[in-house]
Amino acid sequence: MLKNRYSGPIFQLGLAVAAALTCLGFSFQNKQQEATKPNFLFFLVDDLGWSDIGAFGSSFYETPNVDALARKGMKLTSGYAACPVCSPTRASILTGKYPARMKTTDWFGAPQPETAGKHWTKNKPLLPASYLEEMPLGEVTIAEALKDKGYKTFFAGKWHLGQEGNWPENQGFEINKGGYWAGSPRGSHYFAPYDNPRLPDGPAGENLTDRLANETISFIESQKSAPFFAYLSFYSVHTPLGAPQGLIDKYTEKKKRLGLEDKWGKEDQNKVRLNQCLPVYGAMVESMDMAVGKVMAALKTNGLDKNTVVIFMSDNGGLATSEGHPTSNLPLRAGKGWLYEGGIREPMIVHWPGVTKTGSVSDAPVISTDFYPTILEMAGLPPMPKQHIDGKSMVPVLKGKAQRRGPVFWHYPHYGNQGGSPGSAVRSGDWKLIEFYEEGRQPELYDLKNDLSEQRNVYKQNTAKATELKKMLDAWRNDVQANLPSKNPNSGK
């Protein structure tokens, strides 16, 4: 009987070596696949208006780095925040849900109905709706979703989504540089010392915006293998206004050289700025732009620019009607705290290397809830529809294809300290309906294609279209179980 020549010790050793090589091969292949996953760099600017950067038509501020990003990628000229104030929009980006669904409809720290008598709302016709003053820990954020799939996650800057225990490190970010409960910089504001529990002080006089950029660069430089999600959420250009003196001097001289003087109009009972010429604000915008440029340069220096998706936007419209009136959002109406376009339409840019066409522009309506499913699809990861229930992937738009996103909605049942009144809004196609909650106030209907500045309320002339949008809005509010304001028993007292 012949002995099986495939069962000897040499053969068995060969099988073991082959198996080991195969495993190593698969391991190497997996590492290669891991390396090809795109990185994500998300720039979120606080209170930056739609026309506050050159690429979106600024008449005064200088933003060469953001403009360069726009030339490399796609400008989304109908990019919206989910709310005209900060905290709700920030929560919508991270969760893919409308603020109304999460009951996070106002900035965290704004008056509740039971405390309204102590604030600017005490004599208003309505009590503001109640709202939740934190992003719920039960939400699976985009940071948590990416971290679960092997991404390294980093946060720098403004958080404003809850008290301690609800900070970035509790919501999927492995590193947190500067994010806590505050909605604006404390301490010496935009200069060290910062009085920030999540950002050690730098040398006296260090600029906060620049420091956050440097922290982001340090994180990027440390990433040699795993893909990353870096979220740089600037505190600027939020009040209190402040910037390096050299930049303030530059814009002071520029204003004088151009012969500019402040111009004012009226928005309801509020004074509204009609031109961009405030030197300190111009300095803040350029300081932010310089920080963006530093981080973008670091991507290139580290050979990561070809595999990093870069996203840029603001959390709400520019501050035009109160608190110093630092900027103008023209041609958009009003600004932060209002449901007009100046309060909710943002400068949005996406650069997806190899996908977005250089210098492309899309006017397709997209909204901050859409980032979550978009990022998952870009990363080649499965959607999480039960989480980002209100988000729709922008990938077709970014690829230059048509997208039927459907209507987008807003619900702000509060009096903004910038002058806005409680209301809800819907945009479907080119039409936008705003419904205010104060008794006797007529709804407003605008054809944004022909009236971007919302100067002609055509509600009475287009009752069929208004009725159509009102049905959409009613159905949506019912679906999300939106909290509503109530009559103020102390109104007029």
Side-chain angles (χ1 to χ4, degrees):
M1 184 177 178
L2 293 174
K3 189 174 182 179
N4 186 347
R5 62 191 177 105
Y6 299 110
S7 61
I10 294 177
F11 178 74
Q12 295 298 328
L13 177 61
L15 286 178
V17 171
L21 288 172
T22 300
C23 289
L24 285 172
F26 278 122
S27 175
F28 178 68
Q29 185 179 37
N30 287 340
K31 288 292 184 183
Q32 281 187 316
Q33 290 171 347
E34 189 84 351
T36 58
K37 283 184 179 180
N39 305 306
F40 295 94
L41 173 60
F42 199 120
F43 293 109
L44 183 66
V45 190
D46 195 6
D47 287 2
L48 187 74
W50 185 70
S51 55
D52 278 354
I53 61 174
F56 280 75
S58 175
S59 59
F60 186 63
Y61 318 131
E62 297 176 25
T63 55
N65 296 297
V66 178
D67 296 348
L69 178 63
R71 289 192 297 271
K72 289 172 64 175
M74 175 179 283
K75 284 172 48 181
L76 295 132
T77 53
S78 286
Y80 287 102
C83 190
V85 294
C86 60
S87 300
T89 297
R90 292 165 182 273
S92 75
I93 293 170
L94 293 169
T95 65
K97 290 179 179 174
Y98 279 120
R101 190 182 296 278
M102 293 186 290
K103 318 306 177 194
T104 55
T105 48
D106 208 352
W107 57 272
F108 297 170
Q112 295 281 8
E114 62 271 18
T115 63
K118 302 176 182 178
H119 294 81
W120 65 89
T121 58
K122 62 183 179 180
N123 296 318
K124 297 289 188 180
L126 299 173
L127 293 175
S130 62
Y131 71 97
L132 188 64
E133 297 189 53
E134 62 184 28
M135 183 173 68
L137 284 175
E139 296 292 340
V140 181
T141 68
I142 182 60
E144 289 173 301
L146 292 174
K147 180 182 175 184
D148 186 56
K149 298 299 182 182
Y151 274 76
K152 296 295 182 182
T153 55
F154 168 88
F155 182 90
K158 175 176 170 175
W159 182 247
H160 201 190
L161 290 173
Q163 297 295 324
E164 190 167 7
N166 289 76
W167 291 356
E169 57 266 40
N170 309 115
Q171 297 279 20
F173 290 99
E174 297 168 286
I175 301 173
N176 171 21
K177 297 292 184 178
Y180 68 122
W181 60 264
S184 59
R186 297 319 198 236
S188 296
H189 305 311
Y190 284 98
F191 299 92
Y194 304 119
D195 191 22
N196 185 319
R198 286 294 181 269
L199 190 68
D201 283 327
E206 178 187 63
N207 179 255
L208 176 60
T209 303
D210 189 56
R211 168 68 179 277
L212 295 175
N214 289 336
E215 294 286 357
T216 306
I217 290 168
S218 294
F219 169 76
I220 288 171
E221 290 176 343
S222 71
Q223 301 311 301
K224 304 300 182 184
S225 55
F228 64 80
F229 176 58
Y231 197 109
L232 175 47
S233 174
F234 292 107
Y235 278 95
S236 55
V237 292
H238 195 288
T239 56
L241 304 180
Q245 188 60 49
L247 285 175
I248 297 175
D249 293 343
K250 170 184 174 177
Y251 282 92
T252 301
E253 189 280 328
K254 183 175 183 177
K255 179 178 181 179
K256 181 179 179 180
R257 173 167 42 86
L258 295 176
L260 297 175
E261 296 183 359
D262 297 344
K263 296 181 180 179
W264 305 99
K266 289 280 285 186
E267 184 58 68
D268 196 12
Q269 301 302 309
N270 287 64
K271 181 172 73 170
V272 60
R273 179 177 285 276
L274 299 180
N275 66 339
Q276 298 177 346
C277 67
L278 187 65
V280 64
Y281 190 83
M284 291 184 77
V285 172
E286 184 167 346
S287 178
M288 174 277 298
D289 180 79
M290 292 167 68
V292 169
K294 287 183 68 172
V295 178
M296 293 297 293
L299 281 181
K300 188 170 184 178
T301 299
N302 287 274
L304 298 168
D305 56 317
K306 303 298 184 185
N307 194 41
T308 300
V309 175
V310 182
I311 298 167
F312 178 96
M313 76 166 295
S314 173
D315 62 349
N316 50 248
L319 187 56
T321 61
S322 69
E323 301 167 79
H325 314 77
T327 195
S328 171
N329 298 299
L330 290 177
L332 305 186
R333 182 175 176 180
K336 179 182 179 179
W338 299 74
L339 287 169
Y340 297 117
E341 294 292 285
I344 54 178
R345 194 184 288 221
E346 314 306 329
M348 187 185 294
I349 301 167
V350 178
H351 173 48
W352 185 2
V355 179
T356 49
K357 185 179 178 182
T358 301
S360 54
V361 179
S362 172
D363 198 43
V366 293
I367 194 165
S368 51
T369 58
D370 298 343
F371 285 117
Y372 198 133
T374 302
I375 289 171
L376 290 181
E377 187 171 350
M378 287 172 160
L381 299 174
M384 300 173 63
K386 291 184 179 180
Q387 174 57 45
H388 52 74
I389 187 170
D390 297 311
K392 307 291 183 184
S393 176
M394 304 178 198
V395 165
V397 173
L398 299 175
K399 290 183 175 180
K401 300 177 182 178
Q403 184 199 43
R404 296 181 179 178
R405 194 216 175 281
V408 290
F409 300 94
W410 297 268
H411 182 63
Y412 190 57
H414 311 279
Y415 287 101
N417 53 314
Q418 298 82 20
S421 299
S424 298
V426 55
R427 175 177 173 176
S428 179
D430 294 321
W431 292 94
K432 177 183 172 186
L433 177 76
I434 306 175
E435 183 178 45
F436 296 100
Y437 291 120
E438 290 178 340
E439 186 175 353
R441 186 162 180 179
Q442 184 187 69
E444 298 178 11
L445 180 69
Y446 297 101
D447 174 7
L448 296 178
K449 182 178 181 180
N450 297 301
D451 182 22
L452 180 63
S453 299
E454 295 173 294
Q455 295 300 303
R456 299 184 296 278
N457 177 11
V458 293
Y459 176 78
K460 291 183 178 179
Q461 294 83 7
N462 294 272
T463 54
K465 178 57 68 174
T467 299
E468 176 190 338
L469 267 63
K470 176 69 163 60
K471 287 180 179 178
M472 289 182 186
L473 191 54
D474 287 343
W476 174 76
R477 277 185 300 225
N478 182 65
D479 176 58
V480 301
Q481 300 179 21
N483 288 349
L484 298 172
S486 57
K487 287 187 177 181
N488 184 0
N490 297 312
S491 176
K493 293 183 181 180

